[in-house]
Amino acid sequence: MQGKYYEELEVGMVIRHGLTRTVTEMDNILFTSLTMNVQPLHLDEEFAKTTVHGQRVVNSLFTLALVAGMTVPETTLGTTIGNLGYDKIEFPAPVFHGDTLRAETTIVDKRLSKSRDDAGIVWFEQLGYNQRDEVVVRVKRVGMMMLRPDPPEAAGET
């Protein structure tokens, strides 16, 4: 599977991504530990029982990374030059161990690059949903995308 080139990403296009993933306790513990986040809300079940959630909450940055990763095959796989930034990251609902997430991308805006003649800039809004169709993450990001390469015959080659 390959991502889409700049020309293939139309403003208003909505992509419902096929990959889904059930979040496990191990995902949360590993990510939280690897990133040295010692927040007991993620790691300590007894502490978490005393919070408004009543249980451990999955690290929100894991949720963001997972949902962003789910979008790659149908958007940027092999067609991106790189991320330019993330903006307006929101976590409207928590993620818990055992939740199954899915992702959706909307193309918000695009323009040709002013500094590169082989690229365009695309603004994506990406949403992550749980199995109850609750939005668990909303993020706007900007990426530099490759323009479709000219086929050999268009460039005068055979």
Side-chain angles (χ1 to χ4, degrees), residues 64-85:
L64 173 63
L66 177 60
V67 168
M70 289 175 168
T71 71
V72 168
E74 291 110 344
T75 57
T76 62
L77 183 64
T79 57
T80 188
I81 295 167
N83 279 325
L84 300 178

Side-chain angles (χ1 to χ4, degrees), residues 92-125:
V95 173
F96 301 107
H97 303 151
D99 281 350
T100 298
L101 305 187
R102 64 181 175 84
E104 181 177 286
T105 298
T106 301
I107 308 306
V108 177
D109 201 1
K110 66 185 249 185
R111 70 166 173 81
L112 291 172
S113 173
K114 294 176 182 172
S115 62
R116 297 180 63 123
D117 60 4
D118 63 344
I121 310 299
V122 177
W123 285 260
F124 302 88
E125 180 179 52

Side-chain angles (χ1 to χ4, degrees), residues 17 33 40 47 85 104 143:
H17 302 284
S33 298
F47 170 82
E104 181 177 286

Side-chain angles (χ1 to χ4, degrees), residues 8 14 19 39 63 66-67 84 87 89 102 125 135:
E8 298 172 294
V14 176
L19 292 176
Q39 171 55 255
T63 300
L66 177 60
V67 168
L84 300 178
D87 189 26
I89 301 169
R102 64 181 175 84
E125 180 179 52
V135 175

